Amino acid sequence: MRRHGPKWVVERVPEALGESRDFVSGIVLNLGLIIGVVIFRWSLVEIALIYLIEVAIITLLFFSVALFTPQPVAELDGDPWNTEPSSLQPIGLLPPVYWRNIKFIAGRAIGSGAFIGAVLTPVASRAGLDSDPPLSLGLAIAGIVLFQLTRIWRYFISNRSYQEKSPADAMEFAFAPVIELYLIFMYVIVPVTLVLASIAFTTDVNLDAWPVLLLYLIPIGAIRAWFGSLDPQTNDFEISFS
């Protein structure tokens, strides 16, 4: 059996933790949803609301990060991407914002915002968010924001790595939930719903009961934790903006 000395442990453990922290964070976030269902009796509507809020937060944060990335988008040609970009720096403590990034992001931001708003508004209304939002929902949102800020720090702020990124690099993170949602729909929602529907025809089962919701949340958590640990800037998955 191969033995590893203390030096190997000191070098390898931080590396392993760094590689797995997004996975662990994804597990923790989904555990929060499970706690919400079991303890706070969140409904399916409230779970959907939290997920949509998460998508909105991811979109807002990473679209904002894309404004500060100076490198050109490799898939695009033309003068804006082949010349030195013009910039402005309205806030001295922040990096400069690039005009070509604003133009690149604007159309996509409007479309994404309109779509998210159109879906989020009726769900929020049905969940009663406009009247008396529960404290547990606020804690869930705070956890989502904290998790996404750690990802921004890791991939864009640490060692000023944003200077080596293009706006497309940041927007890949913003659009990643679309792929995640497809995987969840195909591999969790459809098969679990079919199984539950077949059971409901033969037995008297309450499909809104929290044990039933766990049948969705546990596999969804596994997919989200795995997908959240992937790096969109590698070959883990690819989103094209050409």
Side-chain angles (χ1 to χ4, degrees), residues 45-130:
V45 173
E46 289 169 319
I47 294 172
L49 175 64
I50 291 173
Y51 184 76
L52 290 171
I53 290 175
E54 180 182 25
V55 172
I57 290 171
I58 292 173
T59 302
L60 176 62
L61 290 178
F62 283 99
F63 270 43
S64 300
V65 170
L67 296 172
F68 303 100
T69 52
Q71 300 303 316
V73 178
E75 302 168 353
L76 300 179
D77 296 320
D79 291 340
W81 304 105
N82 296 328
T83 58
E84 191 69 21
S86 58
S87 64
L88 68 157
Q89 193 169 11
I91 302 176
L93 296 177
L94 295 178
V97 173
Y98 298 92
W99 281 112
R100 68 184 184 187
N101 293 13
I102 296 175
K103 297 176 182 178
F104 177 72
I105 294 168
R108 295 169 176 83
I110 293 172
S112 299
F115 175 76
I116 293 172
V119 177
L120 181 59
T121 300
V123 175
S125 177
R126 185 172 179 182
L129 187 62
D130 52 352

Side-chain angles (χ1 to χ4, degrees), residues 20-36 42 50 54 139-140 142-144 146-147 150 217-218 220-222 224-226 228:
S20 63
R21 59 186 168 186
D22 280 347
F23 179 85
V24 173
S25 298
I27 290 290
V28 171
L29 284 177
N30 201 71
L31 182 61
L33 290 179
I34 293 175
I35 292 174
W42 286 350
I50 291 173
E54 180 182 25
L139 293 175
I144 291 169
L146 180 61
F147 174 52
T150 61
L217 285 179
I218 292 174
I220 285 175
R224 299 192 65 202
W226 165 73

